[in-house]
Amino acid sequence: MQEISPISKFNELFSELEDCDEDEQRQKIEEMNEIIDKTNGKEFISVFSEKLFNKINTMIEEKKLLWGNAILLLKHVGFWNILKAIWICGFEKSLLIKGFEKMIIEEEKKKEEKDENYLVDLCECYLMHLSLQPSELFSICVPCLLKFALKKEESKETQKEVEITLLALSNIDNYELKKELFLDEIKEIIKNHQEHYNLTRLAYQSVCAFLVNRFHCDYREMEDLIVNELHLVKEATREMEELISFEEYEGESEEEKEESEREADEGYILIRWLCISDDLFCCCGSWNEDILGLMKCVTGVYRATNEWCNQIGDHCFYCFKSVGRRIEGYDLLLKSGAIDAVLKELWRKTLYQDIFRDFLMSFANLWRSLDEKRDEEMEEKKRKVMKRKILERLEEEGFEDCINRFRYCVFVRYFDTFLTNGTGIYDVLL
């Protein structure tokens, strides 16, 4: 007998929800959530379409699905939507988003009858399923969730609830928010954790991500707070170093590791810290020893993980490219060992061809920037020193001619043709 696939099982359970009472619905949704935990990105996207969200909305309107049970499912979906960075768009196109907006506004307007926990659940689900569009309800959702996160008792039982709340807030991308909506509360949450370590790894990463997302909109005023007062450059470095060391799990048996309730998969959290690091490299006005320490850390993550996790390696490379956009960034790349790490990576025959091309393009752009004439005499001297050092690295690894051939190729688009036809760039350039 052929075994039923997880997606088919999920759809089967979903189709049975209409004919169940409240307790049976909850039990089936818990089974569905377990299936969600095991799905990959392609499967996840195939299930949570606009059609499914519209069906959920219809079931709620016809009172065949209770709001509480719908939230149990949607909150779990939202958690993985954000953590795995899958970005399903069906919710925003569906009628269900209007239902959530209506419920949030109605619950917020209540006075004595207001159910604060219910409003928190609605706001969490709503924010978790937004992708890249701003919302007028930020002014309701943000203060509501921050208030909830601050008043919760510091216990293991409530840590997961706070984690979900802060993860939902971190999904608000770099839209302008009025500082009075969040600033004092965010500072309090971050400082409290730095003193007492009361948040899970994911919760702390999420609250830092929320603040750094505001960096893009107001980087001149926010830099002193983020870099000097809250020390988030150092914090990002420390968190990533701990994540790749895995020292906290030494001495545990395999059985003990499985039984331990880990806050979330370390790889996803590491990628999220790399995204924060990329933002810090882009937005920080001055690069000091802390920034150098962060770049050394990113290089260490790259060396430690790139052979077994291409996704983590790619995010490290995004950081390298961000730093390389500024002339002073080349010195940072040299001192941190990033250029050496990238050059060593280029010799790996298993490297994806498009990544290989990106590496070469970055070096070509770097070379062009170093060839440009600068007005200030000191800057010109630094540029020449950096160019000499990078040239030495390229010569040592045997890539000088390769980079130059790539650089002076008239029709760079031909490399796409090579990829399409299966011709290896290694064979073309090396």
Side-chain angles (χ1 to χ4, degrees), residues 90-255:
F91 176 80
E92 291 173 292
K93 298 177 181 178
S94 72
L95 299 172
L96 187 59
I97 189 172
K98 299 299 181 184
F100 266 94
E101 290 171 345
K102 180 173 179 286
M103 289 296 294
I104 289 171
I105 292 170
E106 287 179 355
E107 195 64 33
E108 171 64 17
K109 286 180 179 178
K110 293 180 182 178
K111 296 181 180 178
E112 295 180 1
E113 304 86 4
K114 184 188 296 186
D115 186 337
E116 295 285 355
N117 289 333
Y118 182 49
L119 181 59
V120 166
D121 285 337
L122 290 168
C123 291
E124 286 174 349
C125 282
Y126 180 69
L127 292 184
M128 280 179 166
H129 288 88
L130 293 181
S131 56
L132 295 174
Q133 65 178 9
S135 170
E136 294 179 0
L137 296 190
F138 285 164
S139 60
I140 296 176
C141 294
V142 172
C144 170
L145 295 188
L146 287 174
K147 180 182 176 182
F148 176 81
L150 277 169
K151 77 174 185 179
K152 296 300 288 184
E153 295 178 2
E154 296 174 7
S155 65
K156 290 184 178 180
E157 290 73 23
T158 60
Q159 277 190 332
K160 189 66 179 181
E161 295 177 30
V162 174
E163 180 181 270
I164 294 287
T165 299
L166 296 176
L167 183 69
L169 283 168
S170 74
N171 199 40
I172 301 176
D173 207 2
N174 51 347
Y175 298 111
E176 289 191 34
L177 292 176
K178 294 180 180 178
K179 290 188 177 68
E180 54 266 28
L181 288 177
F182 67 88
L183 195 55
D184 291 340
E185 291 83 357
I186 286 291
K187 285 167 61 177
E188 184 177 347
I189 292 171
I190 292 176
K191 288 182 177 180
N192 196 33
H193 174 76
Q194 290 175 350
E195 184 177 350
H196 302 291
Y197 292 94
N198 59 305
L199 300 174
T200 66
R201 283 193 188 280
L202 180 56
Y204 183 51
Q205 188 283 326
S206 296
V207 71
C208 292
F210 174 86
L211 185 59
V212 172
N213 281 340
R214 315 282 78 76
F215 205 171
H216 289 272
C217 303
D218 198 4
Y219 61 91
R220 286 187 176 85
E221 290 187 25
M222 295 286 279
E223 180 165 1
D224 186 61
L225 168 67
I226 289 173
V227 177
N228 300 321
E229 183 177 345
L230 298 178
H231 310 289
L232 292 194
V233 176
K234 288 183 178 179
E235 288 292 287
T237 303
R238 179 185 61 77
E239 286 287 324
M240 287 194 291
E241 286 174 347
E242 289 184 6
L243 282 166
I244 61 172
S245 69
F246 302 110
E247 290 178 354
E248 60 190 292
Y249 303 116
E250 289 181 1
E252 290 184 337
S253 66
E254 288 300 318
E255 185 177 352

Side-chain angles (χ1 to χ4, degrees), residues 285-303:
S286 58
W287 285 350
N288 53 20
E289 288 300 312
D290 291 344
I291 286 287
L292 176 58
L294 180 59
M295 178 49 72
K296 286 180 177 178
C297 178
V298 172
T299 303
V301 171
Y302 184 76
R303 293 182 188 275

Side-chain angles (χ1 to χ4, degrees), residues 14-152:
F14 183 80
S15 67
E16 296 171 353
L17 292 178
E18 293 182 89
D19 302 320
C20 298
D21 61 26
E22 181 178 356
D23 292 336
E24 288 175 325
Q25 275 189 356
R26 179 170 288 269
Q27 184 179 348
K28 289 185 182 295
I29 287 173
E30 287 173 353
E31 289 182 55
M32 291 161 68
N33 286 344
E34 289 177 6
I35 294 173
I36 290 170
D37 293 344
K38 300 171 184 176
T39 58
N40 58 39
K42 187 176 180 179
E43 292 170 333
F44 194 89
I45 292 170
S46 71
V47 171
F48 295 101
S49 61
E50 180 183 351
K51 181 179 179 181
L52 183 133
F53 287 116
N54 280 334
K55 178 63 175 175
I56 292 174
N57 185 70
T58 300
M59 291 167 66
I60 292 172
E61 289 181 343
E62 294 177 353
K63 302 190 184 305
K64 294 179 179 179
L65 179 62
L66 298 175
W67 266 105
N69 284 341
I71 285 171
L72 179 65
L73 173 63
L74 293 169
K75 192 183 289 190
H76 199 79
V77 173
F79 178 87
W80 286 111
N81 183 40
I82 299 174
L83 198 60
K84 294 184 179 182
I86 297 173
W87 310 130
I88 52 175
C89 301
F91 176 80
E92 291 173 292
K93 298 177 181 178
S94 72
L95 299 172
L96 187 59
I97 189 172
K98 299 299 181 184
F100 266 94
E101 290 171 345
K102 180 173 179 286
M103 289 296 294
I104 289 171
I105 292 170
E106 287 179 355
E107 195 64 33
E108 171 64 17
K109 286 180 179 178
K110 293 180 182 178
K111 296 181 180 178
E112 295 180 1
E113 304 86 4
K114 184 188 296 186
D115 186 337
E116 295 285 355
N117 289 333
Y118 182 49
L119 181 59
V120 166
D121 285 337
L122 290 168
C123 291
E124 286 174 349
C125 282
Y126 180 69
L127 292 184
M128 280 179 166
H129 288 88
L130 293 181
S131 56
L132 295 174
Q133 65 178 9
S135 170
E136 294 179 0
L137 296 190
F138 285 164
S139 60
I140 296 176
C141 294
V142 172
C144 170
L145 295 188
L146 287 174
K147 180 182 176 182
F148 176 81
L150 277 169
K151 77 174 185 179
K152 296 300 288 184

